[in-house]
Amino acid sequence: MNGINYSGTSIFSAAANAGYAYTLVYKQHFFLTLSLSGSLGGNYTHLFRDEENDLRKFGVQINNTVRASIGYNSSKYFAGIHYVNLTTRSQSPIEHTFQTIGAGNFRVSVVRRFGLKRELF
């Protein structure tokens, strides 16, 4: 970051989150769900440096999560595609820089439900 070398980082953050989700159902079985949430808060970042003093600073934390799914659902079957993407942006101890971390997944599911002959518990 800006020509400053470091060997590791540690971030502690706290943020308030708000979001909205909507599901559209078509003919009782098909669905489309979209969701977006974001948060704003504070963080404490520590950059570990090998040859010089470590850098530490309190800063701004911004997060967002996007979710989308589409599929079919009935009493016996489920088939769906599900996507999630999470991005965290933490202000770093170096002026005008942020550390961005992303994670997510993409899933495809095909399910056949079945009944039990007797209760397990």
Side-chain angles (χ1 to χ4, degrees), residues 62-73:
I62 302 168
N63 305 322
N64 71 294
T65 304
V66 176
R67 298 173 192 264
S69 60
I70 188 169
Y72 173 83
N73 192 31

Side-chain angles (χ1 to χ4, degrees), residues 85-113:
N85 185 11
L86 165 69
T87 304
T88 299
R89 184 174 173 171
S90 305
Q91 192 170 14
S92 94
I94 302 167
E95 288 296 317
H96 308 293
T97 62
F98 286 82
Q99 293 183 78
T100 302
I101 301 167
N105 66 51
F106 179 82
R107 292 186 303 220
V108 176
S109 301
V110 178
V111 177
R112 166 68 163 98
R113 294 184 176 100

